[in-house]
Amino acid sequence: MNNLNHLEEVMATEAELTEQLIEVMKRQQQALVSIDSAAVESTVERQQELLMPIEGLEQERIRLTREIVAASMPKRVEEGEPVHLTTLLTCLDISEAKRLSSVGRRLHEAVEQMMKLNQANQYLLDHSRKFVRETFRIVTDGYSRKLIDQKI
């Protein structure tokens, strides 16, 4: 398998795993809203399981992109500098560029959706924390008394 086909496969797999991660995040969002701690815990575990292979695929994607561009246009690749997919696409013929661009777009859209869900989940968590803190402050009269009477 040549590097270009391998890159396409890596990106497609990364997009698929990211889409699975999005589904887990949606379940996590529902668990947060319904205050289902077991489901939240389960989704966190599943997220961790998905993140490891995604991280490996991302490193492989970066390496392959750099290698392909370096082979085609050695002067465009400087050590330590990122090589973007758009740079790679300029090195390819139209059919290969369209194919790779399509997979890249799928991955990009999945990552954007994941980031939006993450922001929404972060908002839910922050709001919940503030709500608990404020409720605790109210029922303890500004933290001046204990929540539970010691004489009970």
Side-chain angles (χ1 to χ4, degrees):
M1 174 183 293
N2 70 28
N3 276 352
L4 193 57
N5 289 338
H6 185 55
L7 176 60
E8 183 180 7
E9 185 179 294
V10 164
M11 290 173 63
T13 304
E14 186 176 359
E16 184 179 316
L17 289 175
T18 303
E19 289 162 353
Q20 287 178 29
L21 184 58
I22 289 166
E23 292 306 312
V24 171
M25 292 173 76
K26 286 178 182 177
R27 288 195 312 271
Q28 185 178 52
Q29 192 174 67
Q30 291 303 313
L32 289 169
V33 170
S34 63
I35 313 170
D36 184 348
S37 60
V40 171
E41 187 177 326
S42 169
T43 59
V44 168
E45 288 173 8
R46 182 65 181 137
Q47 284 174 327
Q48 293 303 314
E49 291 171 5
L50 288 168
L51 284 175
M52 252 164 91
I54 288 172
E55 184 178 7
L57 289 164
E58 179 63 12
Q59 293 305 314
E60 181 72 356
R61 183 192 67 76
I62 291 168
R63 185 188 67 76
L64 287 167
T65 302
R66 175 175 287 287
E67 283 180 11
I68 295 167
V69 171
S72 302
M73 306 167 68
K75 294 180 182 176
R76 303 260 329 246
V77 178
E78 294 194 26
E79 194 60 40
E81 290 293 316
V83 178
H84 300 283
L85 184 61
T86 52
T87 304
L88 172 59
L89 295 176
T90 63
C91 303
L92 304 175
D93 69 44
I94 291 179
S95 65
E96 289 174 330
K98 282 182 180 180
R99 203 174 74 231
L100 209 55
S101 178
S102 175
V103 176
R105 191 171 24 265
R106 177 181 169 205
L107 178 58
H108 181 77
E109 289 169 359
V111 168
E112 280 186 341
Q113 187 178 3
M114 181 186 64
M115 289 171 57
K116 286 177 184 176
L117 267 170
N118 188 53
Q119 286 177 330
N121 288 353
Q122 188 65 47
Y123 173 80
L124 285 171
L125 288 169
D126 289 344
H127 181 68
S128 179
R129 250 190 307 244
K130 287 175 187 174
F131 176 77
V132 168
R133 219 175 301 133
E134 184 64 15
T135 302
F136 189 69
R137 186 190 63 75
I138 290 168
V139 299
T140 61
D141 194 26
Y143 307 110
S144 65
R145 66 174 193 255
K146 294 182 179 182
L147 186 59
I148 299 176
D149 189 359
Q150 295 291 333
K151 296 179 183 179
I152 294 180

